[in-house]
Amino acid sequence: MSGKSIAVLAAVGLLGGVASAQTGSLTTAPDNNSSGGIFMDLTALDGALAITSFEIPYAGTVGTPVEVEVWVRDGSYEGFDASSAGWTLHETAFGTRQGVGVFDPLVLANEIELDTNQTRAVYLHAITAGAGQGIRYSGTNTNPPQTFWSNNDISLFSDVSRTGGVPFAGSRFTPRTFAGTINYNIGGPTCRPDLNGDGVVDADDFFLFLSLFAAGDLRADFNNDGVIDADDFFIFLNEFAQGC
Ligand SMILES: [Ca+2]
Ligand SMILES: [Ca+2]
């Protein structure tokens, strides 16, 4: 696209108040081994990104809920996969086991932000009662996986897994790679209070929230706990007041 067309599009966007969110995704390998947790390095290649969700295959009983600890560390995980020192427990997120070969969405309540050219390590580990109920991954000793993946927006390096239900514990296996999909916003984090996605936080969004809230629509579930209640109302009010 020429500079002139970009300028015209930008002008149209400003006049119209339209700022459509751009999203992207990166999918790696199918799962063929399990289970526990997986480490990965994510690097934003062409502008800031915000990771919004992962899609993950799990071992264990299909249809059962699964809790996943999402750990984040600035820089690479390489040399830092044996303890939580230097890592932050970003959040605990929730998914459902869908069986071998099926990716289930793990939606983050708090997006993981990457500045341009920044690398951050992410470690996903399913907290489970026992072995064989965790995150599946890709690669075996006799069939080593591809460990580097990228598109125009993001690169991913992943070559270490840990088994069992306790993060940073269990047996360490390498090379093993993240099996699944990473979904992200291009340009930075989602502007959550801009509910109608028009690029502006204003009264329209406020009234839209009220109607979603009254209708029990999950878009009003601002703390992602599956229940729409006063907590969501106050979180929305707070984010609405802050704007984007
Ligand atoms: Ca809006
Ligand atoms: Ca809620």
Side-chain angles (χ1 to χ4, degrees), residues 60-65 96-99:
T61 309
V62 173
T64 55
T96 303
R97 295 183 176 89
Q98 306 288 359

Coordinates of all heavy atoms in Angstrom, one line a residue, residues 60-65 96-99:
G60 N -6.3 -36.1 29.4 CA -7.3 -36.3 30.5 C -8.7 -36.4 30.0 O -9.0 -36.5 28.8
T61 N -9.6 -36.4 30.9 CA -11.0 -36.7 30.6 C -11.7 -35.6 29.9 O -11.8 -34.5 30.3 CB -11.8 -37.0 31.9 OG1 -11.1 -37.9 32.7 CG2 -13.2 -37.5 31.7
V62 N -12.2 -35.9 28.7 CA -12.8 -34.9 27.8 C -14.0 -34.3 28.6 O -14.8 -35.0 29.2 CB -13.3 -35.6 26.5 CG1 -14.1 -34.6 25.7 CG2 -12.1 -36.0 25.7
G63 N -14.2 -33.0 28.5 CA -15.3 -32.3 29.1 C -15.1 -31.8 30.5 O -15.9 -31.1 31.0
T64 N -13.9 -32.2 31.1 CA -13.7 -31.7 32.4 C -13.0 -30.4 32.4 O -12.2 -30.1 31.5 CB -12.9 -32.8 33.2 OG1 -11.7 -33.0 32.5 CG2 -13.6 -34.0 33.4
P65 N -13.2 -29.6 33.4 CA -12.6 -28.2 33.5 C -11.1 -28.4 33.8 O -10.7 -29.3 34.5 CB -13.3 -27.5 34.6 CG -13.9 -28.6 35.4 CD -14.1 -29.8 34.5
T96 N -11.3 -26.2 29.1 CA -12.0 -27.5 29.2 C -11.2 -28.5 28.3 O -10.8 -28.2 27.2 CB -13.4 -27.4 28.6 OG1 -14.1 -26.3 29.3 CG2 -14.2 -28.7 28.7
R97 N -11.0 -29.7 28.9 CA -10.3 -30.7 28.2 C -11.2 -31.2 27.0 O -12.3 -31.6 27.2 CB -10.0 -31.9 29.1 CG -9.0 -31.5 30.2 CD -8.6 -32.7 31.1 NE -7.7 -32.4 32.1 CZ -8.0 -31.9 33.3 NH1 -9.2 -31.7 33.6 NH2 -7.0 -31.5 34.1
Q98 N -10.6 -31.1 25.8 CA -11.3 -31.5 24.6 C -10.7 -32.8 24.0 O -11.2 -33.2 22.9 CB -11.3 -30.4 23.6 CG -11.8 -29.1 24.1 CD -13.3 -29.0 24.3 OE1 -14.0 -30.0 24.1 NE2 -13.8 -27.9 24.8
G99 N -9.7 -33.3 24.6 CA -9.1 -34.6 24.1 C -8.0 -34.3 23.1 O -7.6 -33.2 22.7

